[in-house]
Amino acid sequence: FDWCQAKTTLDAPIEDIQQIIEDKANYPNVFKRVESAEIISDEIVYIALDMPFPFASRDYVVKYIQEQDDDEFIYRFHAVIHPDVPLHSKYVRLIHASGGWRLKSLDTAKTEIIYTWNGELLGDFPNWALTRAWKQQGLEVMTWLEETVKK
């Protein structure tokens, strides 16, 4: 798989961005492709994605790890297997899902955001479409985050 990255600066304090990123149960209201987000435990989350036609929907189970590196807040996630989340025939399970958010306060009203994720989509996803899908995903995620901040 390939690593992908999207970066932006939003006119919002870092605390506002942190609140959105940390509220994983609310992801379906923020990120439009998230069909559902179920908190399995404090760090484990099941996320189902509604992918556009002609691609099958995807899902994954990830563990989140929160860190602070000097003035940056980092939210990493990586795929895990959890007995309470069986495979569903409706979804292609992303068994290598991983990535993270890196937030850095530029001043009291601006935050730099870097979102990194692996680009492996598995299932029937043609190679020619991967680069386009990765670019689109990064753009969508940042756009939806910005829309939520402005509410």
Side-chain angles (χ1 to χ4, degrees):
F1 56 84
D2 291 313
W3 287 99
C4 308
Q5 191 174 84
K7 181 178 179 179
T8 194
T9 299
L10 294 182
D11 291 325
I14 195 168
E15 297 83 9
D16 290 1
I17 308 299
Q18 286 179 285
Q19 186 176 20
I20 295 167
I21 300 300
E22 291 175 18
D23 188 5
K24 296 165 195 75
N26 195 44
Y27 278 12
N29 297 318
V30 176
F31 305 108
K32 309 294 188 251
R33 293 213 189 281
V34 175
E35 187 174 282
S36 66
E38 181 182 343
I39 308 302
I40 306 302
S41 71
D42 286 344
E43 302 103 9
I44 309 290
V45 181
Y46 168 73
I47 296 177
L49 303 172
D50 181 15
M51 301 295 283
F53 179 82
F55 311 112
S57 295
R58 299 330 195 232
D59 71 354
Y60 53 89
V61 182
V62 289
K63 179 176 182 173
Y64 279 85
I65 300 165
Q66 187 174 330
E67 305 169 344
Q68 187 170 352
D69 184 14
D70 293 325
D71 61 344
E72 294 184 342
F73 290 89
I74 303 160
Y75 302 90
R76 298 186 200 282
F77 60 88
H78 64 274
V80 295
I81 297 171
H82 196 282
D84 293 342
V85 188
L87 293 172
H88 297 281
S89 61
K90 178 181 174 182
Y91 300 99
V92 173
R93 177 70 45 96
L94 300 177
I95 58 173
H96 302 293
S98 61
W101 297 90
R102 184 176 288 267
L103 310 178
K104 181 177 182 176
S105 181
L106 300 178
D107 61 35
T108 58
K110 283 193 186 301
T111 305
E112 178 184 81
I113 302 154
I114 300 172
Y115 176 55
T116 305
W117 70 100
N118 73 21
E120 183 180 48
L121 290 172
L122 298 172
D124 274 337
F125 204 93
N127 287 339
W128 61 265
L130 286 175
T131 303
R132 182 176 170 196
W134 296 331
K135 184 176 180 180
Q136 182 68 25
Q137 181 180 357
L139 178 63
E140 288 177 349
V141 165
M142 292 304 192
T143 299
W144 295 329
L145 185 59
E146 182 175 18
E147 288 171 356
T148 301
V149 166
K150 289 181 176 180
K151 287 181 183 177

